[in-house]
Amino acid sequence: MTNYDGWTVVLHEMIMHIQNFVDNNPMEYEGKELEAYTTGLGMVSVLARQMIRDIQREKADVEV
């Protein structure tokens, strides 16, 4: 297991936690606050997914 594999696992777990927060709405947001909350968490999730893609990309694809 490499450091990259570790980061992939951490990012995947973070995505799972984000989905849990969206599903459960622990702060009980409503209306526009709920919309902002889910949008913000969605943006973090998209960023984490892109980071996973970048980590898993072949070494030949990396620009130096």
Side-chain angles (χ1 to χ4, degrees):
M1 184 168 164
T2 67
N3 288 337
Y4 295 122
D5 295 332
W7 274 110
T8 300
V9 170
V10 168
L11 290 166
H12 178 72
E13 287 294 320
M14 188 171 81
I15 292 168
M16 300 298 285
H17 284 290
I18 290 169
Q19 187 60 52
N20 188 33
F21 282 124
V22 170
D23 292 342
N24 295 329
N25 187 14
M27 301 299 288
E28 299 179 2
Y29 290 126
E30 295 178 1
K32 290 196 180 261
E33 288 179 339
L34 178 60
E35 184 178 339
Y37 175 74
T38 56
T39 300
L41 288 175
M43 291 168 56
V44 174
S45 182
V46 167
L47 176 61
R49 284 189 184 111
Q50 187 59 47
M51 290 171 73
I52 290 172
R53 281 189 207 110
D54 287 346
I55 289 169
Q56 294 177 340
R57 191 170 46 179
E58 291 292 326
K59 295 286 183 189
D61 294 340
V62 177
E63 295 180 21
V64 178

